[in-house]
Amino acid sequence: GDLSALAAGCPALHTLTLKFRYTGVADAMDFSVLAGCAMLRTLELSCSGLRDASSLAGCALLRTLDLSYCNGLLDVSALVGCSALHTLSLAVCQSVDVSALSGCATLHTLSLRQTNLADVSALAG
């Protein structure tokens, strides 16, 4: 899937929902263009196949992010660049490393439902 036309044609886009019925459906989708969506405040990418959160680091106004069921997602350290991030769902992201999220000062709600995390002490701050 090509999101470049969406990102270029909608510079004021503040809410985007790309929910897929089955995990892995959008494995070929290029999410890097979302970095150009500077006004984005709400982004739902559940079951999107997103494997790398670095394309979201430039979304400084992003407040709500749903990455549930992104089973290939391992590292969310780039989300520290989302300085307004308030709500994050990583539900059913089996092997995600959340230790870097301790640097997200505005993070208020974090869903880790059905993950393999045994220790979240790195989030204490």
Side-chain angles (χ1 to χ4, degrees):
D2 186 5
L3 296 173
S4 59
L6 175 72
C10 303
L13 185 69
H14 64 83
T15 301
L16 179 61
T17 300
L18 293 172
K19 286 188 174 188
F20 298 90
R21 187 174 202 133
Y22 304 103
T23 56
V25 169
D27 283 342
M29 193 165 284
D30 178 13
F31 294 103
S32 65
V33 297
L34 294 177
C37 296
M39 302 303 288
L40 206 55
R41 287 176 176 73
T42 302
L43 181 59
E44 295 183 44
L45 295 175
S46 62
C47 296
S48 67
L50 182 77
R51 297 180 189 284
D52 182 5
S54 63
S55 58
L56 306 177
C59 300
L61 299 179
L62 193 62
R63 186 165 166 76
T64 303
L65 178 59
D66 183 354
L67 297 176
S68 57
Y69 292 90
C70 290
N71 295 326
L73 186 62
L74 302 175
D75 180 16
V76 292
S77 60
L79 296 181
V80 174
C82 301
S83 55
L85 192 61
H86 180 271
T87 303
L88 174 61
S89 178
L90 296 171
V92 197
C93 293
Q94 296 302 313
S95 301
V96 67
D97 177 7
V98 297
S99 58
L101 294 178
S102 62
C104 293
T106 59
L107 191 62
H108 180 271
T109 304
L110 176 62
S111 174
L112 297 172
R113 181 180 50 85
Q114 293 181 319
T115 62
N116 290 332
L117 292 173
D119 181 13
V120 292
S121 60
L123 296 175

